[in-house]
Amino acid sequence: MANQNTNPVTEAELQRIRELHAEGKGRNEISRLTGRSLRTISVHAAKMGLSFDRTMTEEATRARKADLEERRVILAEALQGDAEQLTEQLWQPTKVFRIGGAANKYTEKQLDEPPSDAKKDLMAAAGIAIEKSLKLVPLEREDLEGLAAVDQWLRGMMPGGE
């Protein structure tokens, strides 16, 4: 029994494959956009004399990587800003409240700065934001060397320091 394709590629689909190829789209993207398998795209592209230039794919991959890097930098900057806002809150006036008692009564009080448990939570959140920021955009080697010099200077300033 002959292998028959129950869903043959139409002339309109072949034209679409030609157009997408001319736009510089790769085989995988054409497959995704047309809903056809990678094999179908490859077979029909070969029949039409179309080839997929690896340099175009490599350039597209480099561009996607650059875009992702830029997005990571933007996210790292946002996380750094979050950490800065959180640490500023450590010394800002704050309102504390409680709901409790038999009547579930709401009470609040204005304080000059957050209580110690709230400061601990703020510092933990700021630390997480900084840590994630550094994972997205790690410090350069020169930055690390500069931090080591600052650490050494601080140890020398401490009582009993080196």
Side-chain angles (χ1 to χ4, degrees):
M1 182 172 189
N3 183 9
Q4 291 186 341
N5 186 345
T6 58
N7 192 11
V9 176
T10 66
E11 261 318 303
E13 288 177 304
L14 292 173
Q15 182 58 35
R16 180 77 174 131
I17 291 170
R18 278 188 213 93
E19 290 169 0
L20 292 170
H21 182 272
E23 291 173 13
K25 307 279 192 244
R27 183 184 63 143
N28 292 356
E29 189 170 2
I30 293 173
S31 171
R32 185 177 52 75
L33 291 170
T34 61
R36 291 293 190 160
S37 72
L38 294 173
R39 179 168 164 36
T40 298
I41 299 301
S42 295
V43 166
H44 287 284
K47 285 181 183 178
M48 293 185 284
L50 305 176
S51 65
F52 295 101
D53 185 0
R54 282 199 162 313
T55 58
M56 288 172 45
T57 303
E58 290 168 1
E59 288 174 22
T61 299
R62 278 193 297 277
R64 282 194 303 276
K65 285 182 178 180
D67 290 345
L68 285 172
E69 177 65 22
E70 180 183 1
R71 290 170 61 191
R72 280 194 300 272
V73 168
I74 291 168
L75 183 56
E77 287 174 345
L79 286 166
Q80 185 66 35
D82 292 344
E84 291 167 3
Q85 286 181 338
L86 288 164
T87 56
E88 285 175 13
Q89 291 178 34
L90 291 169
W91 313 109
Q92 299 296 320
T94 190
K95 183 187 300 184
V96 294
F97 64 91
R98 182 175 65 185
I99 301 173
N104 258 349
K105 184 179 177 190
Y106 174 84
T107 56
E108 66 180 45
K109 183 176 183 179
Q110 190 71 26
L111 300 175
D112 292 336
E113 59 187 53
S116 60
D117 60 334
K119 284 185 176 186
K120 180 180 172 187
D121 291 343
L122 287 167
M123 287 299 292
I128 291 168
I130 292 167
E131 178 185 332
K132 299 304 178 188
S133 172
L134 288 171
K135 283 189 178 194
L136 288 168
V137 181
L139 290 173
E140 299 291 329
R141 183 168 184 82
E142 305 83 49
D143 295 334
L144 290 172
E145 290 169 1
L147 286 177
V150 170
D151 285 344
Q152 189 174 19
W153 176 77
L154 284 173
R155 276 194 293 275
M157 299 294 288
M158 302 279 294
E162 300 169 7

